[in-house]
Amino acid sequence: MDISQIKACLKYVTDANGDKTEVIVPVEVWNTVISHLPDVESGLHPIDELEDNHKILSDLQDSLRQVADGESSPIAELWTGMVKD
């Protein structure tokens, strides 16, 4: 189903001024649209969903090791050059 087919199935609810306020979407169309969206129930950004859990854990362990060894930087230094004036 392409976008023109989806649009052809939609119905609009309007207010007294004729302004569109809601859209009625047939269940079949809604299910098609939803099936194409990424699953974000975890609350993570889709790119983070693809990140290997072992890599995330390894990076976290490396970061903690750097802190323990005194190799970390104050947070203020991390923002230097990143914030627009």
Side-chain angles (χ1 to χ4, degrees):
M1 181 173 278
D2 64 25
I3 193 70
S4 62
Q5 292 171 315
I6 292 171
K7 287 181 177 181
C9 296
L10 303 179
K11 296 177 183 171
Y12 296 93
V13 176
T14 58
D15 62 16
N17 296 322
D19 296 322
K20 294 177 184 173
T21 59
E22 299 177 40
V23 178
I24 299 173
V25 181
V27 172
E28 180 182 328
V29 173
W30 180 250
N31 289 335
T32 299
V33 170
I34 291 299
S35 72
H36 288 87
L37 296 176
D39 183 13
V40 293
E41 288 185 25
S42 70
L44 294 174
H45 187 281
I47 196 166
D48 294 326
E49 286 285 351
L50 300 175
E51 185 82 27
D52 177 50
N53 289 340
H54 296 290
K55 171 87 169 98
I56 293 170
L57 181 58
S58 174
D59 289 347
L60 180 57
Q61 289 171 333
D62 287 344
S63 296
L64 292 173
R65 198 173 334 358
Q66 288 173 354
V67 169
D69 293 343
E71 299 175 10
S72 62
S73 301
I75 192 76
E77 289 181 20
L78 297 174
W79 289 108
T80 303
M82 295 180 74
V83 179
K84 292 183 179 183
D85 295 326

